[in-house]
Amino acid sequence: EDQVTQSPEALRLQEGESSSLNCSYTVSGLRGLFWYRQDPGKGPEFLFTLYSAGEEKEKERLKATLTKKESFLHITAPKPEDSATYLCAVQAHRSISGGYNKLIFGAGTRLAVHP
Amino acid sequence: GAVVSQHPSWVICKSGTSVKIECRSLDFQATTMFWYRQFPKQSLMLMATSNEGSKATYEQGVEKDKFLINHASLTLSTLTVTSAHPEDSSFYICSARALVDRIPGLAGALYNEQFFGPGTRLTVL
């Protein structure tokens, strides 16, 4: 069964204190791994897609990396406005009814950055 | 680019009534739209996948007669919660997957990404 596990569940950082969020996955043939940011009461905002082990993508203070078993979202010198829930999702290659396009989400990491 | 809207953003209704939620892709055409629900402090749970012009595919445990999905065009999908009850109160979020391999104004985007709407908060009294 495809699974996504994110850790930690919650993370509190001081402004400027860099850290990493983890997303471990098991999937029968990874088609893509996605990172989203979600603010309270809003829909997820797309951040990155990673397709193969060794791939890295960056956007401002965020950098996402991918291995065959997990992905990391590195946050460098975070600011209070980076506070949000970060969601990881995987998509499998197999084509089962609705399964081909289906994203399987982790529970998320709630990040709080304090000044 | 890649903007998805939902309407309404929130709705309060009485038990037994039906509620329709609209999901629109504003600046791209979507082959597929997805409907999720999210309970407080929990992650997104996929309810159904809908392709334009065909019947929706529902996830196990989701009642298709209760959650009616219509995908009338490449930019519009609707979710109707029929005979709503308090246990249907939740945050409903749609997403859209693009038809083309590039989304104008979003450098490097491929067709595979799903872009989410802002969500609809449903409260059933």
Side-chain angles (χ1 to χ4, degrees), chain A residues 31-32 34 36 38 41-46 49 51 87 91 97-98 100-103 105-108 110, chain B residues 32 34 36 38 41-44 46 49 51 57 59 91 93 97 110-119 121:
Chain A
R31 186 165 188 258
F34 303 80
Y36 289 88
Q38 187 176 26
K42 297 188 177 180
E45 174 191 344
F46 171 72
T49 310
Y51 290 102
L87 298 170
Q91 184 183 55
S97 171
Y100 181 73
N101 295 316
K102 180 176 169 179
L103 292 183
F105 279 88
R110 292 192 307 279
Chain B
T32 309
F34 304 83
Y36 295 82
Q38 186 176 34
K41 296 191 177 181
Q42 293 187 26
S43 194
L44 284 75
L46 180 66
T49 302
N51 293 292
T57 301
E59 294 299 299
F91 191 51
I93 311 174
R97 178 178 175 267
L110 300 177
Y111 73 94
N112 194 32
E113 277 78 5
Q114 290 184 28
F115 297 93
F116 285 82
R121 174 75 56 194

Side-chain angles (χ1 to χ4, degrees), chain B residues 16-88:
Chain B
T17 61
S18 294
V19 174
K20 180 185 281 189
I21 303 170
E22 288 188 351
C23 176
R24 292 180 186 273
S25 55
L26 298 185
D27 53 1
F28 66 100
Q29 291 183 317
T31 47
T32 309
M33 289 185 170
F34 304 83
W35 287 95
Y36 295 82
R37 65 190 295 182
Q38 186 176 34
F39 292 104
K41 296 191 177 181
Q42 293 187 26
S43 194
L44 284 75
M45 295 300 296
L46 180 66
M47 298 175 66
T49 302
S50 114
N51 293 292
E52 184 262 341
S54 61
K55 288 184 179 180
T57 301
Y58 290 81
E59 294 299 299
Q60 194 171 10
V62 177
E63 299 174 59
K64 61 181 179 182
D65 294 330
K66 182 169 184 61
F67 298 100
L68 301 178
I69 293 172
N70 182 273
H71 194 154
S73 74
L74 286 172
T75 59
L76 173 64
S77 177
T78 59
L79 168 69
T80 301
V81 183
T82 62
S83 186
H85 291 284
E87 57 265 30
D88 299 323

Side-chain angles (χ1 to χ4, degrees), chain A residues 26-78:
Chain A
T26 53
V27 64
S28 50
L30 180 70
R31 186 165 188 258
L33 184 142
F34 303 80
W35 282 99
Y36 289 88
R37 168 192 170 129
Q38 187 176 26
D39 293 301
K42 297 188 177 180
E45 174 191 344
F46 171 72
L47 293 175
F48 304 110
T49 310
L50 301 168
Y51 290 102
S52 57
E55 190 175 358
E56 299 183 353
K57 287 191 177 172
E58 288 188 65
K59 179 181 178 181
E60 297 178 353
R61 295 177 291 282
L62 300 177
K63 178 179 172 181
T65 61
L66 180 65
T67 72
K68 289 186 178 179
K69 294 183 179 180
E70 58 191 351
S71 176
F72 290 95
L73 184 65
H74 307 276
I75 303 177
T76 303

